[in-house]
Amino acid sequence: MNKIKILRPSKDEYYLELAKTVAKRGTCTKVEIGAVIIKDDQVVATGYNGAPRGTKSSLDHAFCLRKKLGIPSGRNYEICRSVHAEQNCIINAARAGVSLLGGDIFIYGQFREDGKKGKPFDAFPCFICKKMLINCGLKRVICSLSNGSYKIFYVDEWVREWLEQDIIDDKFQYGVEYLEPGATEKRKYFKISPVLNKKMAAGAKSRKKKK
């Protein structure tokens, strides 16, 4: 008997699409980010970038506090009304008493601001979220990319990399443009601080020499 052939999304694509839907609940004025944690092929937690329960969000205030204060992306995360999507995902799992050991997290990000609205971006976790994801005991982290595809990270590889080098040497960082392998364009580091930018640039040059 001939099988009926239809185009079905892979499971990774399917779960990332769920994260995209979750992202639409975000309350940030600039970006929408959604996260879904999967364990044993089941959704065990979801989260989006939004204000703490019962508090006023940036949408309620009608302005971004960070933007008003001139805080650049990647700095002073504590001065923000929102909790990150990954953090909310972990928190929601804790509220439900669900173990995340061995699970996977899918993260989708897209712009909300006019001019870029609906366009995906590289939804790599920030340093704070990355440390939390490691401690959760997750196995994989799947992130949306600006080109419409996605990238898979293995948490044990993150741990190994941090044993060999410092966190600021991370190749994939939130706010840093990801370039496909073989691209000749220089990586664009976002402005954390002049000192850190120099360290990151020096680290990249050193790694290039070793190759």
Side-chain angles (χ1 to χ4, degrees):
M1 182 182 291
N2 293 328
K3 292 183 178 180
I4 298 175
K5 295 182 179 180
I6 60 173
L7 187 62
R8 301 171 64 208
S10 68
K11 286 190 176 180
D12 283 349
E13 292 170 335
Y14 165 55
Y15 292 131
L16 199 59
E17 193 66 27
L18 292 182
K20 181 179 180 180
T21 299
V22 173
K24 296 176 182 178
R25 286 282 303 163
T27 62
C28 174
T29 60
K30 297 188 295 183
V31 297
E32 300 171 345
I33 303 177
V36 175
I37 294 180
I38 306 298
K39 184 175 179 180
D40 298 327
D41 235 0
Q42 296 183 60
V43 177
V44 295
T46 66
Y48 51 84
N49 57 329
R53 295 167 186 261
T55 67
K56 292 178 69 174
S57 69
S58 292
L59 295 181
D60 295 322
H61 284 280
F63 70 92
C64 172
L65 181 62
R66 292 172 58 82
K67 195 171 183 179
K68 184 176 182 179
L69 296 175
I71 300 173
S73 179
R75 284 186 64 183
N76 303 105
Y77 287 121
E78 71 279 6
I79 310 297
C80 179
R81 298 191 184 102
S82 293
V83 180
H84 288 189
E86 303 94 315
Q87 295 170 4
N88 270 326
C89 219
I90 295 168
I91 292 167
N92 289 336
R95 288 171 65 95
V98 177
S99 171
L100 302 179
L101 289 173
D104 298 332
I105 187 168
F106 294 78
I107 309 167
Y108 188 93
Q110 62 186 22
F111 292 102
R112 173 171 275 167
E113 291 181 302
D114 292 337
K116 295 182 179 180
K117 189 174 178 63
K119 291 184 178 180
F121 59 81
D122 301 338
F124 305 139
C126 71
F127 289 130
I128 297 172
C129 287
K130 192 169 182 179
K131 287 182 280 189
M132 294 177 71
L133 296 176
I134 289 173
N135 274 1
C136 278
L138 294 174
K139 184 179 179 181
R140 298 190 308 157
V141 178
I142 299 87
C143 305
S144 67
L145 296 178
S146 60
N147 62 10
S149 63
Y150 59 91
K151 183 165 184 61
I152 301 173
F153 297 96
Y154 290 87
V155 174
D156 60 350
E157 291 182 1
W158 282 353
V159 174
R160 188 160 55 250
E161 288 171 1
W162 284 10
L163 283 170
E164 298 172 354
Q165 57 192 22
D166 211 336
I167 64 173
I168 62 171
D169 295 320
D170 283 0
K171 183 178 179 181
F172 304 97
Q173 299 178 25
Y174 181 78
V176 177
E177 182 181 355
Y178 168 66
L179 299 176
E180 292 289 346
T184 56
E185 185 180 343
K186 293 181 180 179
R187 289 178 58 75
K188 297 177 181 178
Y189 296 108
F190 66 96
K191 296 180 180 179
I192 301 176
S193 72
V195 175
L196 187 50
N197 276 332
K198 285 182 181 179
K199 287 184 178 180
M200 291 169 70
K205 184 182 269 187
S206 176
R207 286 192 298 274
K208 190 174 182 181
K209 284 183 178 179
K210 289 179 181 178
K211 291 179 181 179

